[in-house]
Amino acid sequence: MKKTFSLMWFIAIPFMLSIVSCNKDNAPENPPVSKGDETVQNIVQALEDNEEVSGFVEVLKKINLSDINEDKLTVFAVKNLTAAKTSRSTMLDSVSIKRHIAVGSYSKSQLTDGLVLKSVNDENLYISRTGDDVAVNGVEIEGEEIAVGNSFVYVVPEVFESIDTPIIREDSLIAVRDLWNYEMKTFADQSFTLEASLTTGQYGTTFNEITTLSERYWNTALNAIRNGEKYLAQIADMESAKGLSDTITLDLALVKAQMFAYYGTYISDNRACKMDDYEAWCNKLIAELPTAMSNASSLLLAKASLCNAKYDEAKNLCKKLIASGMLKLSDSPYIYEPENLWRGYDDIIMSGDGGLTPMYPLLSREAYLIEGLAEYGLGNTSEAIETLSILNTAYQGDAISEDESININTFLFYMRSTGGMYPYYRILTNMNNILDFSYPEVEGFDESKHLLLPIPESALREFAIEQNPGY
């Protein structure tokens, strides 16, 4: 038996050796170290003896950057956290530490105000700078850069929080103002384009394209609202930002009013809102904003009220505005500047000489038009004619007698190029038995469904909104 076992063992050895040999041949080689991992290893070695960042180094040793093929990194090493720091900061771990490693190497002089770095986990890191003081996501860098090969290392006192917009400092308000002005100019441009497309067929537009037009406008308005609300939250505690805060607030009231007029809803605080929401918010603005801004808020609320067939509210708001003596009418429907109730947005409308002129979305003439239409809606024909006659005679037209049919298209023309003309067609559907007006003569227009715009499918899902009728 023993002899048999020995023989079998002798036969098995070559077979086993061949298996071992095959396994050795097929065994995967250790993957090459990536540039990212190699760079991090060099940084670990450079920081190994720095006791104040020992915790950061221990976590840094454990992360895997095999998918990063970069030998130039900028690392923000966090000092060991004290009890005082942990109350604001998140704890450092293998996930949050990647927020502290930016792709590319930046010396301190290259960390300029407004610069946005990209971390290895694809988050934005926002740089703000005053003189030699540099902050990342609101956390100030301590000392100077440490060069490690092709990379730079900085020491910071706290773990960075993940943020989706820059931290705004007192000295950065001018940049915020410029960003917001650009945001509103973009919105004004879309408003003018949409109005021109839907009322005149400009750019060769037909109503077969209304879904594309509507989606573009919705997204522009929603983007403006979201960015405006973020800016307001960030500058809320800055005393020097009061003027900018009021400006953004009133601009948002305009965007929301336009959105409500076109869709029957608007978005605020990431939810779909209706007339009651807008009315409560505007009444707050009327009470709290300076007089000129308060008047503009009143006119926006009047228009929203008219859209919602709240004729008494719309009429009373406009009568009060007109009675204040603060509204001026120009002597021509083509001259807007004297009537401007709120700031215009430059370089929007093509002029006859090939240049670009401003768009004024909130004019005195709209108060007279809204009051006149509200009076019609209430059955007060004489009062309506009286109000519209004031507007007509101001523009060198004739006074209107009570026995003539009112062609309201004349008054709609007075609203041309304000970005808000089209919603009046929706308003006038409730008055077509007493007013003479015609719908847009644009191919594909269908009165039964096009007076409100279609809400994009993505918004229906995101905000749980019902689609407008006809779509």
Side-chain angles (χ1 to χ4, degrees):
M1 191 70 178
K2 185 177 180 181
K3 186 175 181 180
T4 304
F5 176 81
S6 300
L7 181 60
M8 290 178 66
W9 178 247
F10 178 77
I11 294 171
I13 287 175
F15 177 70
M16 292 174 68
L17 288 174
S18 70
I19 292 176
V20 171
S21 176
C22 288
N23 285 343
K24 185 175 180 181
D25 291 341
N26 295 331
E29 296 180 4
N30 290 329
V33 177
S34 73
K35 287 184 179 179
D37 274 330
E38 185 176 352
T39 302
V40 166
Q41 289 171 15
N42 292 337
I43 291 169
V44 165
Q45 291 175 9
L47 297 178
E48 197 83 66
D49 296 330
N50 189 335
E51 287 298 324
E52 69 174 356
V53 295
S54 59
F56 180 87
V57 171
E58 288 305 310
V59 180
L60 191 61
K61 290 177 181 177
K62 301 172 185 176
I63 69 166
N64 178 7
L65 291 185
S66 58
D67 57 337
I68 303 297
N69 194 30
E70 297 277 348
D71 62 354
K72 294 182 179 181
L73 299 174
T74 301
V75 175
F76 301 95
V78 184
K79 292 170 69 173
N80 297 333
L81 298 178
T82 64
K85 295 295 185 185
T86 56
S87 61
R88 179 188 183 277
S89 302
T90 57
M91 294 301 294
L92 193 68
D93 56 28
S94 59
V95 175
S96 62
I97 196 172
K98 290 187 177 182
R99 190 179 303 136
H100 290 254
I101 305 172
V103 176
S105 58
Y106 295 85
S107 65
K108 195 170 182 181
S109 64
Q110 292 174 313
L111 296 176
T112 54
D113 193 40
L115 181 68
V116 181
L117 309 184
K118 186 67 73 173
S119 70
V120 294
N121 64 342
D122 206 36
E123 290 187 28
N124 286 338
L125 298 175
Y126 297 97
I127 307 299
S128 52
R129 181 174 190 135
T130 305
D132 202 40
D133 297 330
V134 179
V136 185
N137 285 14
V139 177
E140 198 156 306
I141 289 171
E142 296 184 355
E144 301 301 313
E145 69 265 47
I146 303 167
V148 181
N150 294 326
S151 299
F152 291 108
V153 179
Y154 298 87
V155 174
V156 294
E158 305 174 41
V159 176
F160 298 155
E161 293 181 354
S162 178
I163 60 175
D164 53 10
T165 55
I167 300 291
I168 299 171
R169 295 151 58 122
E170 293 277 352
D171 48 30
S172 299
L173 289 178
I174 293 175
V176 175
R177 181 202 63 194
D178 291 344
L179 286 169
W180 180 246
N181 285 343
Y182 178 78
E183 191 84 52
M184 282 306 297
K185 184 178 176 182
T186 300
F187 171 76
D189 184 66
Q190 279 296 315
S191 293
F192 171 72
T193 300
L194 183 66
E195 178 197 274
S197 298
L198 298 182
T199 60
T200 69
Q202 192 166 328
Y203 315 111
T205 305
T206 72
F207 273 86
N208 296 329
E209 302 164 276
I210 194 168
T211 299
T212 301
L213 284 170
S214 180
E215 185 168 8
R216 189 180 303 135
Y217 185 77
W218 175 281
N219 289 337
T220 301
L222 180 58
N223 192 59
I225 290 171
R226 282 176 163 165
N227 284 336
E229 289 177 341
K230 286 175 185 175
Y231 288 140
L232 285 178
Q234 290 176 330
I235 65 178
D237 298 327
M238 295 185 188
E239 189 174 336
S240 61
K242 181 67 169 65
L244 178 59
S245 178
D246 287 348
T247 296
I248 294 174
T249 298
L250 189 49
D251 279 338
L252 285 178
L254 172 68
V255 177
K256 292 171 183 178
Q258 293 284 76
M259 208 175 189
F260 179 76
Y262 275 114
Y263 297 97
T265 187
Y266 68 94
I267 304 302
S268 182
D269 294 326
N270 220 34
R271 69 181 183 89
C273 299
K274 292 290 188 180
M275 183 62 205
D276 288 349
D277 300 293
Y278 191 73
E279 186 172 17
W281 188 58
C282 261
N283 280 326
K284 186 172 183 292
L285 302 188
I286 292 168
E288 295 179 357
L289 289 178
T291 302
M293 291 181 164
S294 176
N295 289 340
S297 301
S298 292
L299 184 54
L300 288 170
L301 179 54
K303 183 174 182 178
S305 298
L306 190 70
C307 284
N308 217 49
K310 300 180 77 168
Y311 299 131
D312 269 320
E313 290 88 336
K315 178 191 76 170
N316 291 335
L317 285 162
C318 289
K319 284 180 77 70
K320 186 176 179 180
L321 280 173
I322 293 169
S324 73
M326 299 183 70
L327 302 189
K328 295 179 181 179
L329 290 175
S330 69
D331 57 8
S332 167
Y334 303 103
I335 300 175
Y336 299 117
E337 176 63 38
E339 299 189 26
N340 187 27
L341 284 185
W342 182 230
R343 64 197 190 116
Y345 304 102
D346 292 337
D347 300 334
I348 301 296
I349 302 167
M350 183 71 72
S351 61
D353 60 3
L356 293 171
T357 63
M359 185 184 87
Y360 300 104
L362 211 56
L363 300 173
S364 297
R365 64 187 68 182
E366 197 164 6
Y368 291 86
L369 177 59
I370 291 171
E371 186 191 339
L373 290 176
E375 294 283 21
Y376 270 120
L378 292 167
N380 304 327
T381 305
S382 296
E383 290 84 348
I385 289 174
E386 182 181 346
T387 303
L388 293 178
S389 282
I390 294 171
L391 193 57
N392 215 37
T393 54
Y395 300 146
Q396 314 306 313
D398 296 326
I400 307 166
S401 65
E402 289 200 29
D403 59 350
E404 63 182 302
S405 177
I406 306 301
N407 184 347
I408 205 67
N409 291 293
T410 300
F411 297 93
L412 290 187
F413 176 80
Y414 295 157
M415 297 305 302
R416 180 70 56 85
S417 301
T418 63
M421 176 183 173
Y422 183 79
Y424 282 101
Y425 291 102
R426 166 194 169 194
I427 294 165
L428 290 165
T429 55
N430 296 320
M431 306 176 190
N432 58 11
N433 59 326
I434 53 176
L435 293 173
D436 178 19
F437 78 103
S438 58
Y439 289 113
E441 296 180 4
V442 180
E443 183 183 344
F445 177 78
D446 181 348
E447 176 193 339
S448 68
K449 73 175 189 175
H450 289 145
L451 296 176
L452 284 173
L453 301 188
I455 299 171
E457 290 293 330
S458 58
L460 296 178
R461 295 189 297 270
E462 183 177 359
F463 303 108
I465 314 173
E466 287 188 13
Q467 181 60 279
N468 286 321
Y471 299 104

